[in-house]
Every structure is written in structure tokens, then in C-alpha cells.
Amino acid sequence: MDTESGAPEGGEAAAEGAVGPGEAPAAARAIFGDRFESAVRYTELLATAGVQRGLIGPREVPRLWDRHVLNCAVLAELLPVGASLCDVGSGAGLPGIPVALARPDVSVTLLEPLLRRTTFLEEVVRELGLENVTVLRGRAEEMVGKLAVDIVTARAVAPLDRLAGWGMPLLRPHGQMLALKGDSAEQELADTRAGLTKLGAVSWSVISVGEGTLETSTRVIQVQAGESPGGVKAATRRARAARAGRSTTGKAPERGRGGAGRRRR
């Protein structure tokens, strides 16, 4: 099953008879501005190629705008100007692509381990001309010391305890993790607080975004990191990666936007 949408593997057969996503809600124009047409095209791609490749369940197509695209795009409200962001387990590009469309000033890395999904993401990025988006194939735990960002996002990837273990080590000092959750948000947070402290978090809360814009607001677990996001183990791995980079190149590894392995599309 696709963790983003509940789509079955081999979705070609399931795609038969699927209806379209319908007309974009009025809120979409306000959220996406001059990238509104690109948002429309992305939603069309989710409804067609996304379903055919098993990335989106066919039953989700009629509610792509409200439940998926706009639900993710309102995360843009929480992002500082010029931030760098990694969308862990990006799947069909949710929430990373809607955020990138809504906030062209934000540098977005779509991190996804499965080839069929990264292939789809690369095609979408090329077609939409998203110069602020990079697709990177890999697992979050492999990127510690290679990728460092201001914001980590995730949607329906894993329970919060596991997600924090993957995402927090990718943050720069004082960065934040934003996990889109539903009714389970408060309980997951209550169950994970001790683990978040060990991972270098200094504060956390459940917040709602999109209120007054969307019919149903988006619930987000917001976790703020301190000086050492990811804890001692992550700091050790980052130090090892830095030493390895210096021994190979004779200088510290590049720490610019997007980190190592960045490929422009």
C-alpha cells in the first residue's frame, strides 16, 4: 500500500473508470497565486499517471483538491522566507510539491526510496518547471551528515516515534519538523514526548493551519529542535561524514541548500 494515499500496487487496472478531480476550489487561486495553473496540472497528473502507477488510490481522485493538494499546500503558512525543506517519504509529492508551488522561495528536496515514485516525481518536476525542487532517491537514515535542512515535512509516512527518528537528524540546529496528522495527533504526541527529548527537541505542539481558507483545516504536529537535532547518535554520524568529506576533498563538504546529492531538474 502507498503510505500517502492507500493506493494499491499495480494501479493500472484500478484506474479504469476513475472520475476526474473536478474544478479547483476558489481557495486554490489564493494559495497558489501565479502558479495556480501549475497546481491544476499537478492535480491532473495525480489523477491520471498517479493512479495508473499506484501512487494515488482511484477513490481519492474526486477529493484530490481538498483532501490532498490544498490540505498540504497550507503548510506554506508555517515556513520562514527562503527556508530549505526536505519532504521525507514524499511518495506522490505530498506535501512537498504543493508547498513548493505555493512558496517558490523555499528550496524543496523530495526524498523517496522507491524508484517508481522518484521517476514520477522527476517527471512532474520537469513538466511543471519547478526550479526550487530536487528529487533525491534514498532513505532518511542514509542522509544524516549529507543533507541538512531548516524544515522536515512528512505526511502519513509512519507513526511519530519512527518518523522523528528519521526526520530530526536531518534538521539544522533550531530547525523544525512538521508532520501532517489527523485525529491521532494528540495521542501520538503524548506517546512520543520522551523520545522527542532524546532526539534533541525542545518544544512540540499540535496546531491547525488553513483555518479560514479551507473547509477543514490541516492538523500538524510541530516539533522544534534545539542545538543538536537528532541527538548524540546523529551528531556523531554528522561528524563522521564531515571528516570523511575533508579526507576526500581536503576541505569541508558543501553545506549549501539541499545538501549532498542535489540534482536540479
Side-chain angles (χ1 to χ4, degrees):
M1 300 291 283
D2 186 285
T3 53
E4 289 284 356
S5 58
E9 300 288 341
E12 289 86 350
E16 293 181 7
V19 298
E23 186 176 352
R29 289 188 180 274
I31 291 171
F32 294 112
D34 59 6
R35 285 189 165 187
F36 169 73
E37 294 300 335
S38 293
V40 170
R41 181 57 184 148
Y42 172 56
T43 306
E44 292 171 348
L45 290 169
L46 290 177
T48 53
V51 172
Q52 291 162 8
R53 300 185 192 187
L55 304 182
I56 292 290
R59 286 178 294 183
E60 296 301 307
V61 171
R63 49 190 182 180
L64 276 173
W65 277 111
D66 292 328
R67 184 171 179 177
H68 298 282
V69 177
L70 295 182
N71 177 269
C72 290
V74 291
L75 273 185
E77 298 176 13
L78 303 176
L79 307 182
V81 174
S84 59
L85 179 151
C86 179
D87 186 25
V88 172
S90 193
L94 299 164
I97 288 179
V99 168
L101 286 166
R103 288 289 300 276
D105 63 298
V106 172
S107 176
V108 175
T109 297
L110 306 177
L111 181 61
E112 169 56 52
L114 296 185
L115 177 60
R116 68 185 178 91
R117 295 176 185 172
T118 56
T119 298
F120 173 79
L121 293 172
E122 287 171 344
E123 291 171 0
V124 170
V125 169
R126 281 197 300 270
E127 177 160 344
L128 301 185
L130 296 178
E131 295 184 358
N132 63 323
V133 178
T134 295
V135 178
L136 186 59
R137 186 181 176 197
R139 300 183 182 279
E141 54 267 40
E142 302 166 347
M143 298 298 157
V144 180
K146 302 176 184 179
L147 181 67
V149 295
D150 303 313
I151 309 288
V152 165
T153 59
R155 180 176 188 257
V157 172
L160 184 61
D161 56 349
R162 277 191 285 155
L163 176 60
W166 299 333
M168 293 292 289
L170 301 181
L171 290 173
R172 292 181 174 134
H174 308 294
Q176 61 178 317
M177 184 177 72
L178 303 173
L180 281 75
K181 294 287 184 177
D183 294 337
S184 67
E186 281 86 0
Q187 187 60 54
E188 285 196 55
L189 188 54
D191 293 342
T192 312
R193 286 175 178 172
L196 291 176
T197 300
K198 292 179 180 179
L199 288 168
V202 294
S203 64
W204 44 80
S205 60
V206 177
I207 60 176
S208 294
V209 290
E211 292 182 338
T213 302
L214 304 182
E215 188 171 319
T216 302
S217 61
T218 300
R219 291 165 59 77
V220 180
I221 296 178
Q222 184 178 44
V223 180
Q224 184 71 45
E227 283 286 347
S228 299
V232 174
K233 290 183 180 179
T236 301
R237 291 169 67 187
R238 282 194 289 264
R240 286 175 181 168
R243 286 196 297 270
R246 284 194 293 269
S247 65
T248 301
T249 66
K251 61 181 181 179
E254 177 63 39
R255 304 294 293 183
R257 280 188 180 178
R262 186 167 171 79
R263 302 196 304 274
R264 282 287 183 188
R265 292 295 180 190

